[in-house]
C-alpha cells in the first residue's frame, strides 16, 4: 500500500505545482431573434446581418497558432431564439476544387471538409455537445465527456436537428438549426456557455479553431471560448416517439428450416426536466446490427466484441465510468447459463445462448451544479432448452437462464479545474435460487488549476450473493498520477484486484488476483520541421504479480507474473503521410491462465518484437496502408511474422471500395492443447498457427439521405500441433508419461456478408433493408490452399436473413403544431 500513500501525498501537493501559460479566451455576446430562419444553406435571411461574427480562426494542425489566410477565411454566425440555436457561415476557398467532399453516411467524416460547433452548456470544461456538417450536407454529432486524457467524443449519440449546405465557386455555405430538444442545458435566467468552432480543410491537412488550442495542453474543452448572455431560454416539452415495424425471413441452411418473423415496438425519449431524459425501448429489435467479427479464440479469456445495438451505445458516456459495464452482458453474452443434462433417451432440440430483452430503460442528465445522474435498467426473459423423447417424440423444456434484471446507477459530480468524483453501482438480480451480483466503485479524478498535473483512481467492491448460500466479497483499486500537459508528459499507475473480486456479471473481466504497476512517458514535437508536421515518441514499462500466492505445491514464493516494456513512435510527414514503429521486450514470465486450471502455472521464456507501419495520404483518390511485425521468444523460440495491407479507392463522391487483409504466421508457439479428466494431465503443444482475415467494404450513396453498403468478411485460422507435452507441477513442459490420443488440429472458418440499404425518408425516420449471410466451422482436417478453403466454406450451408424495418420519428411539439396548422 506504499503506492497509495504516495498518491495521497501527491493529492495534497497537487495544487502547489506550476502550470503552463494559457491562451487568451475569446468572448462574444449572444444575439436573440424572434423570427424563425429558413434552413436552406443560402444565408439570405435578414437576421444573419445582425448576428455576431466568429472569425479569425487559428490552426491546430499542421502548424499550431498559425492564422488562416484571408482567401481561406472562415466566417460563422450564431443566433438563438425561444426555439433553438441557429448557426450559419461562409467557408471561403480560392477555388471550388479546393473543397473535399464525399458522401459517407451519418457520423462518418470520410474524405470531407467540415465545420463543427461545440457547446459546453454547463460551462464545466468536461461535458459538451458537438454538431458538424460537410459540404454535401451530411451530419455528424457527438457528446463530449471527460476521460483520463482530457475529453472523449461519443459519435454514437444522435440528435434530431436541421442543416443545409451549398457549394459555391469560392467556398461553401451552411446553416444549422439545433432545437433545444437536441441539447441539454441548465435553468439559469442568464447563461454563459463554453464554445468552440472547428473547421477542417481536408486537402491541406488543416484543422482550425475559433478559440485557439494549445496542442500540448490536456483536453480541448478546457481551452474553449465563451458565448455569453444567453437569456430566458427554456427547454421545450421533450417527447419523441419512434415506433417501428420489422419483418424477417430467416433461413437456417444447416437445419433446413425457414421462418417468418414480424416484430413491432417503440423507442421513447421523454424529457423529465430541463436536464434529464428518459430513454426507453419497448420490445426492442436488434436483428439488423452488423455481424460480429468472430475468430478462433486460442486465449484462455472470453472474446470481447463491439456493441452494435444503438440503445446501448447512444448517450451512455456516464455508464462507462469505472469500466464496470459491458453492455453485451444484457441479452447477447450473459455470463450465467445452466448446463443441460439428459439421458440417452432424449435429444437436445434447442439450447439458446442468448436471452431476449423484454424492455430497457435509461435515465441520464446533469444538473446546473454539475451533478450527473445515470440509471440504466434492462429485463431479459427466461430461456429454456428443448428436449425431445426419441421414442414418443414428446418435447419438454428445461430452464437454463432465469428471468434476469440488470441495473447500473451512476453519480458523477464535476468540480473545478476539469476534475470530478463519481460513484458507480452495478447489480444483477436473477429470479429463483440463482445467485445475484453487485459491484460498487468510488472514483476520483483531480487536475490542478493550470491543468498540468493529474491524479485519480478508484476503489471497487464486488459481492456475489447466493453461491452455496454464501456471499463472496472482493476488492479492487486503481490509482494513477502524472503530468498531462506540455511537450513532455508521464504517468504512473497501479491496478489491483484480489482473488475474490469479480465484476463479470455485468462487466467484461478476464482475471483477478493480480497487481500491475508501471509508468508511461512521452514527448511531442508539434511544430513542423524538415520532413514532418508532428512527431511523437513514448515508452511504457510494467511489472505484474499476484496479490495472493497460489497454494499449489505450497510454493508461496511463486507470485511474479510478468515484466516488460516498449517504445513507440509515430509522425505525420509534410505530404500528410503517417509512419510509425514499436519495439517491445518481455522478460521470462509465469502464466497462471494458459493452463486453464486454477493454481497451475506455465513458465514461459521472454520475447522481443518489432513492428513498422505506414499510411498514405488519405485525401488522395487511391490510398493505402500497411504494417509488419516480427518477433521471437518463448520456450520453443517461437518466431512470428504478421502482415497487414489495406487499400481504398474513391471512384467519385458517391462510390468507394475498400479492401483490408491481414496475415499472421507463428511457428513453434506454445499453448494449451487439452485436458485429460481421467489422468488430470494438462497437455500443451508446440504448434504452428496461421491466420488470414480479408474484409471488403463497398459503399454507394445515392444522396446524403440514402445509400447502400456491403461488408464481406472471411476469417481463417489453422492450428497445426507439431508435438505434445505434459505440463508438470512446476510449470515446465516435458514429454508426456501417457501419450494423448485425441486430435487437437483445428481448421477454423467464419464468413459473413452484410448488405444494407438505408433511406432517411423524413427527419429521424428510416427505412432499412438488410440481407445477412454468415456461417462457420471448426474441423480437424486441414486445407492448405486458401482459395480452395474459401470455396469450401462458401459452398457450405449458411444462415441467412432478409429483413425490412421502418422507424418513424414523431416529435410531440412538431406534430402538435402541424395539427394546429391543418385545423386553421
Amino acid at each position: 500500500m506504499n503506492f497509495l500513500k504516495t498518491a495521497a501525498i501527491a493529492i495534497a501537493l497537487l495544487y502547489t505545482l506550476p502550470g503552463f501559460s494559457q491562451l487568451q479566451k475569446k468572448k462574444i455576446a449572444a444575439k436573440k431573434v424572434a423570427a424563425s430562419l429558413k434552413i436552406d444553406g443560402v444565408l439570405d435571411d435578414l437576421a444573419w446581418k445582425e448576428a455576431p461574427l466568429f472569425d479569425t480562426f487559428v490552426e491546430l494542425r499542421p502548424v499550431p497558432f498559425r492564422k488562416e489566410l484571408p482567401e481561406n477565411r472562415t466566417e460563422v454566425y450564431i443566433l438563438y431564439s425561444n426555439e433553438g440555436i441557429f448557426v450559419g457561415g461562409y467557408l471561403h476557398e480560392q477555388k471550388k476544387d479546393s473543397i473535399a467532399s464525399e458522401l459517407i453516411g451519418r457520423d462518418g467524416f470520410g474524405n470531407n471538409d467540415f465545420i463543427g460547433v461545440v457547446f459546453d452548456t454547463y460551462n464545466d470544461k468536461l461535458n459538451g455537445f458537438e454538431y458538424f456538417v460537410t459540404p454535401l450536407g451530411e451530419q455528424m454529432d457527438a457528446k463530449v465527456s471527460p476521460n483520463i486524457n482530457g475529453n472523449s467524443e461519443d459519435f454514437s449519440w444522435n440528435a434530431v436537428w436541421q442543416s443545409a449546405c451549398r457549394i459555391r465557386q469560392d467556398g461553401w455555405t451552411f446553416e444549422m438549426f439545433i432545437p433545444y430538444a437536441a441539447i441539454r442545458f441548465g435553468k439559469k435566467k442568464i447563461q454563459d456557455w463554453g464554445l468552440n468552432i472547428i473547421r477542417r480543410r481536408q486537402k491541406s491537412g488543416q484543422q482550425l479553431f475559433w478559440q485557439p488550442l494549445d496542442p500540448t495542453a490536456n483536453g480541448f474543452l478546457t481551452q474553449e471560448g465563451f458565448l455569453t448572455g444567453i437569456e430566458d431560454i427554456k427547454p421545450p416539452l421533450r417527447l419523441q416517439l419512434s415506433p417501428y415495424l420489422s419483418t424477417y425471413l430467416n433461413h437456417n441452411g444447416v437445419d433446413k428450416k425457414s421462418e417468418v418473423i414480424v416484430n413491432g415496438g417503440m423507442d421513447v425519449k421523454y424529457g423529465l426536466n430541463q436536464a434529464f431524459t428518459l430513454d426507453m425501448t419497448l420490445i426492442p429489435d436488434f436483428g439488423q446490427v452488423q455481424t460480429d467479427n468472430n475468430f478462433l479464440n486460442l486465449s484462455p479469456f472470453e472474446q470481447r466484441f463491439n456493441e452494435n445495438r444503438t440503445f446501448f451505445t447512444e448517450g451512455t458516456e456516464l455508464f462507462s465510468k469505472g469500466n464496470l459495464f459491458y453492455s453485451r452482458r444484457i441479452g447477447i453474452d450473459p455470463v450465467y447459463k445452466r448446463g443441460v443434462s439428459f439421458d440417452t433417451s432424449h435429444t437436445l432440440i434447442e439450447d439458446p445462448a442468448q436471452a431476449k430483452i423484454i424492455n430497457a430503460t435509461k435515465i441520464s442528465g446533469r444538473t446546473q451544479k454539475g451533478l450527473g445522474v445515470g440509471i440504466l435498467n434492462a429485463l431479459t426473459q427466461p430461456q429454456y432448452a428443448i428436449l425431445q423423447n426419441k421414442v414418443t417424440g414428446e418435447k419438454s423444456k428445461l430452464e437454463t437462464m432465469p428471468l434476469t434484471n440488470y441495473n447500473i446507477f451512476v453519480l458523477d459530480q464535476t468540480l473545478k479545474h476539469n476534475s470530478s468524483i463519481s460513484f458507480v453501482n452495478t447489480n444483477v438480480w436473477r429470479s429463483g435460487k440463482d445467485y445475484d451480483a453487485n459491484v460498487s466503485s468510488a472514483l476520483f479524478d483531480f487536475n490542478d488549476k493550470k491543468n498540468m498535473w493529474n491524479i485519480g483512481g478508484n476503489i471497487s467492491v464486488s459481492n456475489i450473493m447466493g453461491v452455496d448460500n454464501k456471499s463472496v466479497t472482493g476488492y479492487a483499486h486503481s490509482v494513477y498520477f502524472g503530468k498531462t500537459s506540455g511537450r513532455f508528459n508521464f504517468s504512473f499507475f497501479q491496478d489491483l484486484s484480489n482473488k475474490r473480486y469479480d465484476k463479470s456479471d455485468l462487466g467484461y473481466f478476464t482475471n483477478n488476483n493480480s497487481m500491475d504497476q508501471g509508468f508511461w512517458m512521452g514527448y511531442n514535437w508539434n511544430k513542423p520541421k524538415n520532413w514532418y508536421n508532428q512527431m511523437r515518441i513514448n515508452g511504457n514499462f510494467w511489472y505484474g504479480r499476484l496479490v495472493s500466492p497460489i497454494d499449489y505445491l505450497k510454493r508461496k514464493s511463486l507470485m511474479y507474473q510478468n515484466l516488460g516494456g516498449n517504445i513507440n513512435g509515430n509522425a505525420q510527414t509534410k505530404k500528410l503521410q503517417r509512419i510509425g514503429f514499436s519495439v517491445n521486450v518481455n522478460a521470462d514470465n509465469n502464466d497462471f491462465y494458459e493452463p486453464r486450471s486454477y493454481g497451475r502455472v506455465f513458465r514461459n521464456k521472454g520475447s522481443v518484437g518489432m513492428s513498422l507501419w505506414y499510411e498514405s495520404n488519405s485525401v488522395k483518390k487511391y490510398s493505402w496502408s500497411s504494417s509488419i511485425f516480427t518477433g521471437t521468444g518463448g520456450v520453443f523460440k517461437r518466431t512470428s511474422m504478421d502482415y497487414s495491407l489495406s487499400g481504398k479507392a474513391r471512384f467519385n463522391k458517391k462510390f468507394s471500395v475498400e479492401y483490408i487483409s491481414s496475415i499472421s504466421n507463428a511457428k513453434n508457439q506454445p499453448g494449451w492443447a487439452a485436458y485429460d479428466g481421467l489422468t488430470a494431465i494438462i497437455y500443451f503443444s508446440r504448434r504452428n498457427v496461421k491466420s488470414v482475415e480479408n474484409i471488403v467494404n463497398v459503399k454507394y450513396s445515392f444522396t446524403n439521405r440514402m445509400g447502400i453498403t456491403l461488408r464481406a468478411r472471411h476469417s481463417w485460422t489453422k492450428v497445426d500441433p507439431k508435438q505434445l507435452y505434459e505440463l508438470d507441477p512446476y510449470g515446465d513442459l516435458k514429454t508426456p508419461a501417457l501419450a494423448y490420443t485425441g486430435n487437437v488440429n483445428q481448421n477454423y472458418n467464419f464468413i459473413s456478408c452484410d448488405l444494407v440499404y438505408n433511406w432517411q425518408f423524413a427527419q429521424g425516420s428510416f427505412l432499412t433493408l438488410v440481407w445477412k449471410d454468415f456461417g462457420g466451422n471448426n474441423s480437424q482436417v486441414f486445407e492448405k490452399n486458401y482459395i480452395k478453403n474459401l470455396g469450401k466454406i462458401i459452398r457450405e450451408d449458411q444462415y441467412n436473413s432478409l429483413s425490412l424495418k421502418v422507424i418513424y420519428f414523431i416529435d410531440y411539439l412538431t406534430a402538435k403544431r402541424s395539427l394546429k396548422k391543418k385545423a386553421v
Side-chain angles (χ1 to χ4, degrees):
M1 295 295 180
N2 290 333
F3 196 96
L4 292 175
K5 292 179 181 178
T6 304
I9 295 172
I11 293 175
L13 296 175
L14 186 62
Y15 289 88
T16 68
L17 295 170
F20 65 94
S21 60
Q22 294 184 331
L23 298 167
Q24 182 70 31
K25 297 297 181 68
K26 295 182 178 181
K27 294 183 180 181
I28 290 186
K31 173 74 174 179
K32 192 171 187 178
V33 293
S36 180
L37 280 64
K38 184 179 180 181
I39 304 301
D40 56 9
V42 179
L43 289 173
D44 57 355
D45 286 279
L46 294 177
W48 288 123
K49 294 182 179 180
E50 304 297 325
L53 172 64
F54 298 75
D55 61 355
T56 317
F57 278 54
V58 177
E59 279 187 34
L60 174 66
R61 301 183 185 92
V63 184
F65 308 119
R66 182 172 66 180
K67 292 184 178 180
E68 63 183 349
L69 297 174
E71 57 267 29
N72 299 325
R73 66 190 181 277
T74 307
E75 298 169 343
V76 176
Y77 307 91
I78 298 179
L79 297 165
Y80 75 99
S81 69
N82 288 329
E83 307 296 328
I85 307 156
F86 298 93
V87 185
Y90 204 129
L91 312 178
H92 293 270
E93 296 286 354
Q94 285 184 293
K95 54 185 179 179
K96 188 176 181 179
D97 290 343
S98 299
I99 302 171
S101 59
E102 175 191 15
L103 289 173
I104 193 69
R106 186 182 175 108
D107 289 334
F109 286 93
N111 187 33
N112 277 302
D113 289 356
F114 65 71
I115 186 77
V117 59
V118 184
F119 294 110
D120 176 7
T121 56
Y122 294 98
N123 202 6
D124 62 6
K125 311 295 186 293
L126 293 170
N127 302 277
F129 301 88
E130 299 180 334
Y131 307 87
F132 300 84
V133 289
T134 70
L136 295 178
E138 291 187 318
Q139 296 181 346
M140 297 88 76
D141 44 22
K143 257 188 175 182
V144 183
S145 58
N147 68 8
I148 190 173
N149 296 314
N151 300 108
S152 63
E153 299 165 295
D154 176 15
F155 282 94
S156 65
W157 178 79
N158 289 318
V160 178
W161 48 285
Q162 300 176 44
S163 64
C165 302
R166 297 287 181 95
I167 294 179
R168 305 179 181 276
Q169 291 301 320
D170 62 344
W172 58 287
T173 58
F174 76 95
E175 288 180 309
M176 303 180 190
F177 173 63
I178 304 165
Y180 292 135
I183 197 168
R184 307 290 176 265
F185 52 88
K187 57 182 179 180
K188 287 184 178 179
K189 181 177 177 60
I190 301 177
Q191 303 186 32
D192 295 339
W193 290 1
L195 172 72
N196 215 335
I197 306 170
I198 309 165
R199 180 185 179 184
R200 182 171 80 173
R201 300 182 66 240
Q202 177 74 343
K203 291 185 177 180
S204 65
Q206 288 178 294
Q207 194 171 14
L208 305 106
F209 288 78
W210 169 69
Q211 170 64 52
L213 298 187
D214 184 343
T216 66
N218 179 35
F220 60 89
L221 289 186
T222 57
Q223 305 181 67
E224 64 198 7
F226 299 97
L227 181 66
T228 64
I230 303 171
E231 295 187 40
D232 295 323
I233 60 171
K234 296 179 181 179
L237 173 64
R238 292 184 285 116
L239 176 59
Q240 298 170 343
L241 309 175
S242 296
Y244 81 87
L245 181 67
S246 65
T247 180
Y248 291 79
L249 174 60
N250 299 329
H251 176 70
N252 188 330
V254 178
D255 296 337
K256 309 299 182 186
K257 293 181 180 179
S258 298
E259 61 178 354
V260 176
I261 300 175
V262 178
N263 296 320
M266 182 182 296
D267 291 342
V268 179
K269 287 182 181 288
Y270 175 64
L272 301 175
N273 55 31
Q274 79 281 357
F276 289 89
T277 302
L278 179 147
D279 290 88
M280 180 179 292
T281 180
L282 305 172
I283 318 176
D285 174 19
F286 302 119
Q288 289 189 330
V289 299
Q290 180 180 294
T291 306
D292 287 331
N293 289 338
N294 287 283
F295 59 91
L296 179 62
N297 183 15
L298 294 175
S299 80
F301 306 121
E302 173 191 10
Q303 288 179 265
R304 179 164 189 165
F305 294 105
N306 292 331
E307 175 62 87
N308 296 318
R309 299 172 297 177
T310 305
F311 181 85
F312 293 107
T313 60
E314 182 179 320
T316 56
E317 70 284 347
L318 275 174
F319 305 110
S320 65
K321 288 186 173 292
N323 195 27
L324 299 180
F325 181 46
Y326 179 43
S327 58
R328 288 177 62 105
R329 288 284 178 253
I330 303 174
I332 299 179
D333 297 320
V335 74
Y336 178 74
K337 181 177 179 293
R338 300 192 200 110
V340 181
S341 59
F342 54 94
D343 56 33
T344 56
S345 64
H346 286 79
T347 302
L348 181 64
I349 301 298
E350 185 178 338
D351 187 16
Q354 299 181 353
K356 186 174 180 59
I357 299 175
I358 300 172
N359 62 61
T361 304
K362 58 188 175 189
I363 298 173
S364 61
R366 191 172 294 275
T367 68
Q368 186 69 49
K369 293 184 178 180
L371 177 62
V373 180
I375 302 171
L376 187 150
N377 197 86
L379 188 66
T380 60
Q381 290 181 349
Q383 298 300 303
Y384 300 90
I386 306 300
L387 302 175
Q388 185 175 36
N389 190 290
K390 294 179 180 179
V391 178
T392 65
E394 182 181 357
K395 293 182 179 180
S396 58
K397 63 181 185 179
L398 180 67
E399 186 180 85
T400 57
M401 299 184 213
L403 179 74
T404 305
N405 189 81
Y406 300 88
N407 182 272
I408 177 169
F409 171 69
V410 183
L411 294 174
D412 176 56
Q413 178 64 57
T414 60
L415 306 171
K416 290 183 179 180
H417 314 315
N418 197 29
S419 302
S420 65
I421 55 174
S422 309
F423 172 79
V424 183
N425 175 266
T426 66
N427 187 81
V428 179
W429 171 87
R430 298 179 176 91
S431 64
K433 298 181 179 180
D434 297 291
Y435 77 91
D436 305 322
N438 186 283
V439 182
S440 295
S441 182
L443 305 89
F444 67 95
D445 187 81
F446 298 144
N447 295 281
D448 71 312
K449 185 176 181 180
K450 299 295 186 180
N451 197 32
M452 175 74 78
W453 302 90
N454 170 258
I455 188 168
N458 65 74
I459 295 175
S460 302
V461 176
S462 68
N463 280 285
I464 306 297
M465 299 158 286
V467 179
D468 298 327
N469 295 319
K470 296 180 181 179
S471 294
V472 179
T473 300
Y475 166 85
H477 76 244
S478 296
V479 65
Y480 50 86
F481 169 76
K483 179 176 177 287
T484 54
S485 292
R487 294 180 64 182
F488 173 70
N489 298 314
F490 65 86
S491 65
F492 295 88
F493 73 90
Q494 182 187 81
D495 298 319
L496 179 148
S497 61
N498 70 9
K499 65 180 181 180
R500 293 176 177 268
Y501 182 74
D502 187 353
K503 64 175 183 179
S504 61
D505 285 88
L506 196 46
Y508 179 81
F509 192 56
T510 56
N511 60 279
N512 53 22
N513 191 25
S514 65
M515 180 171 65
D516 299 309
Q517 49 260 310
F519 71 87
W520 170 92
M521 58 182 178
Y523 193 84
N524 303 326
W525 292 264
N526 294 299
K527 294 183 178 180
K529 286 185 180 180
N530 301 322
W531 56 272
Y532 65 85
N533 285 330
Q534 302 103 25
M535 186 164 58
R536 295 174 175 81
I537 189 168
N538 64 72
N540 298 271
F541 173 81
W542 61 86
Y543 164 72
R545 52 161 285 181
L546 300 180
V547 175
S548 302
I550 60 173
D551 297 327
Y552 193 74
L553 294 180
K554 304 299 182 182
R555 300 182 67 195
K556 293 188 177 293
S557 62
L558 191 60
M559 296 183 70
Y560 162 77
Q561 289 198 82
N562 52 62
L563 176 72
N566 60 47
I567 298 176
N568 313 281
N570 65 81
Q572 184 193 57
T573 71
K574 292 289 181 65
K575 294 182 178 181
L576 303 185
Q577 302 160 328
R578 298 193 67 85
I579 56 175
F581 76 93
S582 178
V583 177
N584 59 78
V585 178
N586 292 284
D588 294 353
N589 55 86
N590 293 322
D591 191 335
F592 297 96
Y593 315 108
E594 187 64 20
R596 324 286 169 100
S597 179
Y598 178 76
R600 300 295 297 271
V601 62
F602 165 53
R603 300 201 301 175
N604 203 0
K605 297 294 184 181
S607 63
V608 296
M610 182 180 71
S611 64
L612 301 170
W613 56 268
Y614 168 84
E615 295 177 0
S616 71
N617 185 347
S618 61
V619 177
K620 302 294 185 181
K621 184 175 181 179
Y622 303 103
S623 59
W624 65 283
S625 64
S626 64
S627 67
I628 183 172
F629 167 82
T630 183
T632 184
V635 294
F636 300 128
K637 296 187 169 134
R638 181 205 78 246
T639 60
S640 298
M641 187 68 72
D642 302 343
Y643 313 87
S644 71
L645 178 66
S646 67
K648 187 170 186 177
R650 297 184 181 90
F651 298 103
N652 53 46
K653 294 179 180 181
K654 295 183 176 183
F655 181 45
S656 66
V657 177
E658 181 182 31
Y659 172 67
I660 305 168
S661 180
S662 60
I663 300 173
S664 176
N665 200 347
K667 294 184 177 180
N668 297 321
Q669 179 191 82
W672 180 90
Y675 174 74
D676 190 327
L678 295 176
T679 61
I681 294 177
I682 299 173
Y683 290 94
F684 271 56
S685 68
R686 176 177 60 84
R687 62 198 184 191
N688 294 344
V689 180
K690 184 174 184 178
S691 297
V692 180
E693 182 184 55
N694 286 294
I695 301 173
V696 176
N697 294 309
V698 181
K699 183 264 312 175
Y700 186 86
S701 298
F702 301 99
T703 69
N704 61 5
R705 288 172 172 258
M706 182 190 300
I708 188 169
T709 60
L710 169 69
R711 183 180 191 269
R713 175 182 177 269
H714 174 231
S715 175
W716 178 35
T717 300
K718 184 169 64 174
V719 182
D720 184 9
K722 296 301 181 181
Q723 188 173 350
L724 289 178
Y725 297 83
E726 178 183 339
L727 181 69
D728 74 14
Y730 299 96
D732 298 317
L733 302 180
K734 66 178 184 179
T735 302
L738 296 173
Y740 184 73
T741 57
N743 188 345
V744 292
N745 297 344
Q746 295 190 72
N747 191 76
Y748 174 86
N749 282 276
F750 185 83
I751 191 168
S752 64
C753 182
D754 295 78
L755 180 64
V756 180
Y757 167 80
N758 193 56
W759 173 33
Q760 184 178 349
F761 60 87
Q763 198 74 16
S765 302
F766 297 88
L767 182 150
T768 308
L769 181 67
V770 176
W771 177 73
K772 299 172 68 172
D773 184 274
F774 59 89
N777 62 37
N778 191 357
S779 70
Q780 296 175 328
V781 179
F782 292 145
E783 176 58 67
K784 295 182 179 180
N785 185 283
Y786 177 81
I787 300 299
K788 289 183 179 180
N789 179 79
L790 178 60
K792 186 182 295 185
I793 187 65
I794 291 176
R795 289 190 297 272
E796 286 190 357
D797 294 322
Q798 315 283 350
Y799 176 90
N800 54 71
S801 171
L802 179 65
S803 62
L804 175 67
K805 185 175 184 179
V806 179
I807 302 174
Y808 191 76
F809 174 78
I810 303 171
D811 180 78
Y812 171 77
L813 290 180
T814 303
K816 184 178 179 180
R817 285 193 293 265
S818 178
L819 290 173
K820 281 186 177 180
K821 288 181 180 179
K822 289 181 180 180
V824 173

